[in-house]
Amino acid sequence: MTPTRRNIRRLRAVVAAFAALIAVWHPYRAEGQTTDLVAQGRLALDADRVDEAIATLERAVAADQNDAAALAWLGSARVRKARIAPIFERPGWVRKGFNTLDEAVERFPDAFIAYMVRGITAVTVPALFNKTGVAVKDLSTVVAMKDKQPQDVPDAAMPSVYLHLGLAYKKNGQTAEARATWEKGTRLYPSAPETEAIARELRNL
């Protein structure tokens, strides 16, 4: 599984956005050590140091079993491992990663971060893994959470949600829904860094 350069740039943008989120949100009995480990794991992932990211996030999960962000990001990192693993091991890493992401959603059904990370990760994997429907459902769930309880989902998270929800709709052949999603995201968050990427997608739609 070799992601395109565009997907790599998108993943890096997502990780950079989450670096801001960690300062304003950390779920369930947040501990300083765990917060630092999650941040370190995401930075390693952004730098394509996937093995380091997995090891760091495993430590974060071990330090706090009730940390939804640590578990979700560990799942995402395991999926990313497929890009550098030997070819016959790649499907196994994708399955292992999504098993972890599924666990995060099941254990923390009220944590937007679990749906967000699983949804964005699902957008980036090849279509043969059949995760596009998961991406649409998860990212739509985050939008619904934001609409229902705005204080529970940081504004900093939403531009990336709208960008990737539109990508999921596009990947699923739902062009009208993709356009409406991107236009809404641009309208709500006109100054977000993701706006430029959304504008490019709208031009190419």
Side-chain angles (χ1 to χ4, degrees), residues 33-201:
Q33 178 188 5
T34 309
T35 302
D36 289 344
L37 288 171
V38 173
Q40 291 168 21
R42 290 206 310 268
L43 289 173
L45 198 59
D46 186 32
D48 287 330
R49 301 192 304 270
V50 180
D51 289 332
E52 177 185 334
I54 290 172
T56 302
L57 292 163
E58 285 175 345
R59 288 169 56 203
V61 171
D64 187 351
Q65 295 290 326
N66 290 320
D67 190 318
L71 189 61
W73 272 108
L74 175 58
S76 184
R78 286 171 171 169
V79 173
R80 285 277 298 276
K81 173 71 175 181
R83 182 172 62 86
I84 60 173
I87 189 167
F88 293 113
E89 295 179 11
R90 294 176 184 179
W93 277 106
V94 173
R95 287 193 297 271
K96 185 175 183 179
F98 274 101
N99 285 343
T100 305
L101 287 161
D102 293 346
E103 180 186 352
V105 170
E106 290 166 7
R107 289 184 56 201
F108 307 105
D110 297 323
F112 84 91
I113 196 74
Y115 297 97
M116 184 175 180
V117 176
R118 186 174 71 171
I120 290 173
T121 304
V123 175
T124 65
V125 298
L128 65 92
F129 290 104
N130 297 317
K131 295 298 182 181
T132 305
V134 173
V136 170
K137 182 178 179 180
D138 281 355
L139 296 172
S140 296
T141 296
V142 179
V143 172
M145 286 178 165
K146 181 66 172 176
D147 290 342
K148 185 177 181 180
Q149 299 288 345
Q151 70 279 5
D152 290 345
V153 183
D155 285 334
M158 295 308 297
S160 187
V161 169
Y162 281 109
L163 170 61
H164 288 87
L165 179 55
L167 291 171
Y169 277 131
K170 180 181 177 181
K171 196 173 180 179
N172 209 37
Q174 297 174 269
T175 304
E177 289 83 353
R179 181 178 297 279
T181 297
W182 285 330
E183 290 176 347
K184 180 180 178 182
T186 300
R187 184 172 66 254
L188 292 175
Y189 304 98
S191 60
E194 291 83 358
T195 301
E196 182 179 349
I198 289 175
R200 286 197 301 269
E201 293 293 341

